[in-house]
Amino acid sequence: KNQVEQSPQSLIILEGKNCTLQCNYTVSPFSNLRWYKQDTGRGPVSLTIMTFSENTKSNGRYTATLDADTKQSSLHITASQLSDSASYICVVSVATGGFKTIFGAGTRLFVKA
Amino acid sequence: GAGVSQTPSNKVTEKGKYVELRCDPISGHTALYWYRQSLGQGPEFLIYFQGTGAADDSGLPNDRFFAVRPEGSVSTLKIQRTERGDSAVYLCASSLKRDGPTDTQYFGPGTRLTVL
Protein backbone atom coordinates (compact mmCIF):
# COMPACT_ATOMS: atom_id res chain seq x y z
CA LYS A 1 0.00 0.00 0.00
CA ASN A 2 1.32 3.45 -0.93
CA GLN A 3 1.89 5.43 2.26
CA VAL A 4 3.75 8.51 3.43
CA GLU A 5 4.59 8.81 7.11
CA GLN A 6 6.02 11.88 8.77
CA SER A 7 7.68 12.41 12.10
CA PRO A 8 7.51 14.00 14.52
CA GLN A 9 3.81 14.81 14.53
CA SER A 10 4.61 18.16 16.14
CA LEU A 11 7.72 19.99 17.22
CA ILE A 12 8.47 23.06 19.34
CA ILE A 13 11.79 24.86 18.93
CA LEU A 14 13.27 28.19 19.94
CA GLU A 15 13.81 30.92 17.39
CA GLY A 16 17.23 30.68 15.82
CA LYS A 17 17.59 26.94 16.32
CA ASN A 18 17.80 24.33 13.57
CA CYS A 19 15.45 21.38 13.15
CA THR A 20 14.97 18.35 10.93
CA LEU A 21 11.68 16.81 9.87
CA GLN A 22 11.45 13.24 8.62
CA CYS A 23 9.44 11.57 5.88
CA ASN A 24 9.34 7.83 5.14
CA TYR A 25 7.41 6.47 2.20
CA THR A 26 6.44 3.15 0.69
CA VAL A 27 5.26 4.59 -2.62
CA SER A 28 6.17 2.62 -5.72
CA PRO A 29 7.00 3.25 -8.47
CA PHE A 30 8.46 6.54 -7.29
CA SER A 31 8.20 9.67 -9.43
CA ASN A 32 9.08 12.62 -7.22
CA LEU A 33 8.93 13.96 -3.69
CA ARG A 34 7.89 17.43 -2.63
CA TRP A 35 7.91 19.30 0.63
CA TYR A 36 5.16 21.86 1.20
CA LYS A 37 4.70 24.50 3.87
CA GLN A 38 1.13 25.15 4.97
CA ASP A 39 0.34 28.15 7.14
CA THR A 40 -2.83 27.96 9.22
CA GLY A 41 -5.86 28.69 7.08
CA ARG A 42 -3.88 28.72 3.86
CA GLY A 43 -3.21 26.30 1.05
CA PRO A 44 0.16 24.47 0.91
CA VAL A 45 3.08 26.20 -0.80
CA SER A 46 5.79 24.19 -2.53
CA LEU A 47 9.26 24.41 -0.96
CA THR A 48 11.28 21.80 -2.85
CA ILE A 49 10.82 19.01 -5.36
CA MET A 50 13.20 16.12 -5.96
CA THR A 51 13.22 13.38 -8.56
CA PHE A 52 14.79 9.95 -8.22
CA SER A 53 18.24 11.13 -9.25
CA GLU A 54 18.42 14.07 -6.86
CA ASN A 55 19.51 13.64 -3.26
CA THR A 56 19.49 17.21 -2.02
CA LYS A 57 17.70 20.44 -2.87
CA SER A 58 17.86 23.79 -1.11
CA ASN A 59 15.49 26.74 -0.99
CA GLY A 60 16.89 29.46 1.23
CA ARG A 61 17.02 28.16 4.80
CA TYR A 62 15.23 24.96 3.79
CA THR A 63 17.26 21.95 2.65
CA ALA A 64 15.60 18.71 1.63
CA THR A 65 17.39 15.39 1.24
CA LEU A 66 16.25 12.22 -0.45
CA ASP A 67 17.52 8.65 -0.10
CA ALA A 68 15.64 6.71 -2.75
CA ASP A 69 17.19 3.41 -1.61
CA THR A 70 15.85 3.64 1.94
CA LYS A 71 12.81 5.65 0.82
CA GLN A 72 13.46 8.41 3.29
CA SER A 73 13.51 12.19 3.02
CA SER A 74 14.25 14.94 5.46
CA LEU A 75 13.65 18.67 5.57
CA HIS A 76 16.22 20.68 7.48
CA ILE A 77 15.39 24.21 8.58
CA THR A 78 18.31 26.41 9.50
CA ALA A 79 18.20 29.38 11.89
CA SER A 80 14.46 29.11 12.41
CA GLN A 81 12.26 32.19 12.43
CA LEU A 82 8.86 32.79 13.99
CA SER A 83 7.36 32.78 10.50
CA ASP A 84 8.50 29.18 10.05
CA SER A 85 5.67 28.13 12.36
CA ALA A 86 3.46 26.05 10.08
CA SER A 87 2.70 22.50 8.98
CA TYR A 88 5.25 20.87 6.71
CA ILE A 89 3.83 18.24 4.42
CA CYS A 90 5.76 15.58 2.52
CA VAL A 91 4.15 14.55 -0.76
CA VAL A 92 5.18 11.63 -2.96
CA SER A 93 3.98 11.10 -6.52
CA VAL A 94 3.61 7.71 -8.15
CA ALA A 95 4.95 7.12 -11.65
CA THR A 96 1.89 5.57 -13.24
CA GLY A 97 -0.28 6.38 -16.22
CA GLY A 98 -2.85 8.01 -14.00
CA PHE A 99 -2.44 10.74 -11.43
CA LYS A 100 -1.46 9.61 -7.96
CA THR A 101 -0.10 11.83 -5.27
CA ILE A 102 0.09 10.71 -1.67
CA PHE A 103 0.28 13.31 1.08
CA GLY A 104 1.71 12.77 4.52
CA ALA A 105 -0.20 14.03 7.55
CA GLY A 106 2.37 16.75 8.11
CA THR A 107 4.60 17.90 10.96
CA ARG A 108 3.29 20.86 12.92
CA LEU A 109 6.23 23.14 13.77
CA PHE A 110 6.00 25.81 16.44
CA VAL A 111 8.84 28.33 16.67
CA LYS A 112 8.92 30.24 19.96
CA ALA A 113 10.64 33.52 20.72
CA GLY B 1 -5.14 36.62 -11.48
CA ALA B 2 -2.38 36.54 -8.92
CA GLY B 3 -3.14 33.06 -7.67
CA VAL B 4 -5.72 30.35 -7.26
CA SER B 5 -8.91 31.64 -5.72
CA GLN B 6 -11.74 29.68 -4.14
CA THR B 7 -15.24 30.69 -3.20
CA PRO B 8 -16.84 30.72 -0.78
CA SER B 9 -14.15 30.76 1.88
CA ASN B 10 -16.59 29.25 4.34
CA LYS B 11 -19.79 27.31 3.77
CA VAL B 12 -22.16 26.07 6.45
CA THR B 13 -24.96 23.80 5.35
CA GLU B 14 -27.40 21.31 6.77
CA LYS B 15 -27.21 17.56 6.36
CA GLY B 16 -28.86 16.48 3.13
CA LYS B 17 -28.38 19.76 1.28
CA TYR B 18 -26.55 20.32 -2.01
CA VAL B 19 -23.43 22.52 -2.19
CA GLU B 20 -21.19 23.86 -4.91
CA LEU B 21 -17.61 24.97 -4.36
CA ARG B 22 -15.85 27.07 -6.95
CA CYS B 23 -12.20 27.23 -7.98
CA ASP B 24 -10.58 29.84 -10.23
CA PRO B 25 -7.14 28.56 -11.28
CA ILE B 26 -4.16 30.63 -12.31
CA SER B 27 -4.71 31.91 -15.83
CA GLY B 28 -3.15 29.61 -18.41
CA HIS B 29 -2.86 26.60 -16.12
CA THR B 30 -4.25 23.55 -17.88
CA ALA B 31 -4.19 21.16 -14.93
CA LEU B 32 -6.55 21.54 -11.98
CA TYR B 33 -6.79 19.42 -8.84
CA TRP B 34 -9.28 19.08 -6.00
CA TYR B 35 -8.29 17.83 -2.55
CA ARG B 36 -10.04 17.40 0.77
CA GLN B 37 -8.24 18.09 4.03
CA SER B 38 -9.52 17.05 7.43
CA LEU B 39 -8.24 18.64 10.61
CA GLY B 40 -4.70 17.56 11.42
CA GLN B 41 -4.32 15.57 8.22
CA GLY B 42 -2.65 16.10 4.89
CA PRO B 43 -4.75 16.80 1.79
CA GLU B 44 -6.49 13.80 0.22
CA PHE B 45 -6.68 13.68 -3.58
CA LEU B 46 -10.18 13.81 -5.07
CA ILE B 47 -10.00 14.55 -8.80
CA TYR B 48 -7.66 15.92 -11.44
CA PHE B 49 -8.54 17.75 -14.67
CA GLN B 50 -6.39 18.20 -17.73
CA GLY B 51 -8.21 20.87 -19.70
CA THR B 52 -11.94 20.18 -19.67
CA GLY B 53 -11.74 16.48 -18.98
CA ALA B 54 -11.39 14.64 -15.71
CA ALA B 55 -8.15 12.72 -16.23
CA ASP B 56 -8.41 10.91 -12.89
CA ASP B 57 -11.42 10.91 -10.57
CA SER B 58 -10.37 7.90 -8.54
CA GLY B 59 -10.25 9.93 -5.32
CA LEU B 60 -13.92 10.89 -5.30
CA PRO B 61 -15.32 9.04 -2.26
CA ASN B 62 -18.73 8.19 -3.75
CA ASP B 63 -21.27 9.25 -6.35
CA ARG B 64 -22.49 12.16 -4.23
CA PHE B 65 -19.34 13.99 -5.33
CA PHE B 66 -18.98 15.39 -8.81
CA ALA B 67 -16.77 18.03 -10.42
CA VAL B 68 -16.86 19.87 -13.72
CA ARG B 69 -14.60 22.18 -15.66
CA PRO B 70 -16.65 22.96 -18.78
CA GLU B 71 -14.39 25.56 -20.38
CA GLY B 72 -11.04 24.35 -19.11
CA SER B 73 -10.67 27.15 -16.59
CA VAL B 74 -13.06 27.53 -13.63
CA SER B 75 -14.03 24.32 -11.88
CA THR B 76 -16.95 23.51 -9.61
CA LEU B 77 -17.01 20.72 -7.07
CA LYS B 78 -20.54 19.58 -6.37
CA ILE B 79 -21.66 17.59 -3.36
CA GLN B 80 -25.17 16.15 -3.18
CA ARG B 81 -27.01 15.06 -0.04
CA THR B 82 -24.25 16.31 2.20
CA GLU B 83 -23.31 14.33 5.29
CA ARG B 84 -21.59 15.44 8.48
CA GLY B 85 -18.55 13.44 7.44
CA ASP B 86 -18.13 15.71 4.42
CA SER B 87 -17.07 18.53 6.73
CA ALA B 88 -13.50 19.47 5.79
CA VAL B 89 -11.44 22.06 3.97
CA TYR B 90 -11.67 21.58 0.23
CA LEU B 91 -8.51 22.69 -1.53
CA CYS B 92 -8.06 23.43 -5.19
CA ALA B 93 -4.70 23.60 -6.96
CA SER B 94 -3.60 24.31 -10.50
CA SER B 95 -0.42 23.72 -12.45
CA LEU B 96 0.85 24.90 -15.79
CA LYS B 97 0.60 21.49 -17.35
CA ARG B 98 0.70 17.89 -16.36
CA ASP B 99 4.09 17.23 -17.89
CA GLY B 100 6.80 15.40 -16.03
CA PRO B 101 7.99 15.33 -12.46
CA THR B 102 8.68 19.03 -11.98
CA ASP B 103 5.11 20.24 -12.44
CA THR B 104 4.44 22.47 -9.42
CA GLN B 105 0.94 22.80 -8.02
CA TYR B 106 -0.23 26.14 -6.68
CA PHE B 107 -2.92 25.89 -4.05
CA GLY B 108 -5.84 28.12 -3.26
CA PRO B 109 -6.77 29.05 0.33
CA GLY B 110 -9.50 26.43 0.45
CA THR B 111 -13.20 26.38 1.26
CA ARG B 112 -14.10 25.29 4.77
CA LEU B 113 -17.28 23.23 4.54
CA THR B 114 -19.25 22.53 7.70
CA VAL B 115 -22.23 20.20 7.53
CA LEU B 116 -24.49 20.49 10.56
Side-chain angles (χ1 to χ4, degrees):
Chain A
K1 181 180 177 184
N2 288 325
Q3 285 186 315
V4 176
E5 295 184 352
Q6 293 187 241
S7 61
Q9 191 173 49
S10 63
L11 181 63
I12 302 173
I13 62 173
L14 291 176
E15 186 180 15
K17 297 296 185 182
N18 304 335
C19 67
T20 299
L21 315 180
Q22 300 292 341
C23 173
N24 296 338
Y25 61 93
T26 58
V27 173
S28 180
F30 176 86
S31 174
N32 62 73
L33 184 147
R34 292 181 174 89
W35 281 94
Y36 283 89
K37 177 186 179 186
Q38 185 173 24
D39 292 312
T40 301
R42 300 286 195 91
V45 174
S46 179
L47 293 175
T48 63
I49 178 171
M50 289 179 291
T51 59
F52 186 87
S53 59
E54 299 173 293
N55 55 26
T56 188
K57 186 71 71 76
S58 290
N59 178 358
R61 294 179 296 102
Y62 301 102
T63 299
T65 65
L66 173 65
D67 186 332
D69 292 330
T70 61
K71 298 187 176 182
Q72 295 180 325
S73 175
S74 66
L75 180 69
H76 186 74
I77 304 175
T78 304
S80 60
Q81 300 176 358
L82 297 178
S83 59
D84 293 332
S85 296
S87 287
Y88 292 84
I89 303 174
C90 175
V91 184
V92 182
S93 294
V94 181
T96 65
F99 176 81
K100 202 74 173 179
T101 294
I102 297 96
F103 285 71
T107 291
R108 189 74 175 91
L109 175 66
F110 300 89
V111 180
K112 297 175 61 176
Chain B
V4 178
S5 61
Q6 293 185 244
T7 54
S9 56
N10 280 284
K11 176 69 177 179
V12 180
T13 190
E14 293 179 342
K15 180 175 178 291
K17 299 291 187 183
Y18 168 82
V19 296
E20 289 189 352
L21 312 179
R22 176 187 167 108
C23 172
D24 282 83
I26 293 173
S27 178
H29 280 194
T30 61
L32 185 146
Y33 315 79
W34 282 100
Y35 298 89
R36 177 169 69 175
Q37 186 173 26
S38 300
L39 190 64
Q41 299 295 313
E44 170 194 13
F45 169 74
L46 296 177
I47 186 170
Y48 150 64
F49 287 89
Q50 184 65 273
T52 61
D56 187 340
D57 63 358
S58 62
L60 294 178
N62 51 60
D63 61 6
R64 294 186 299 104
F65 288 75
F66 189 70
V68 295
R69 194 186 186 199
E71 298 178 357
S73 177
V74 171
S75 176
T76 304
L77 178 65
K78 308 179 180 189
I79 310 174
Q80 298 177 318
R81 305 182 304 279
T82 52
E83 300 177 355
R84 292 194 179 87
D86 298 335
S87 296
V89 174
Y90 289 81
L91 292 167
C92 175
S94 70
S95 63
L96 190 58
K97 54 184 177 178
R98 172 65 179 163
D99 179 26
T102 58
D103 192 40
T104 296
Q105 296 180 37
Y106 297 86
F107 283 80
T111 292
R112 179 174 297 280
L113 175 66
T114 303
V115 181
L116 301 176

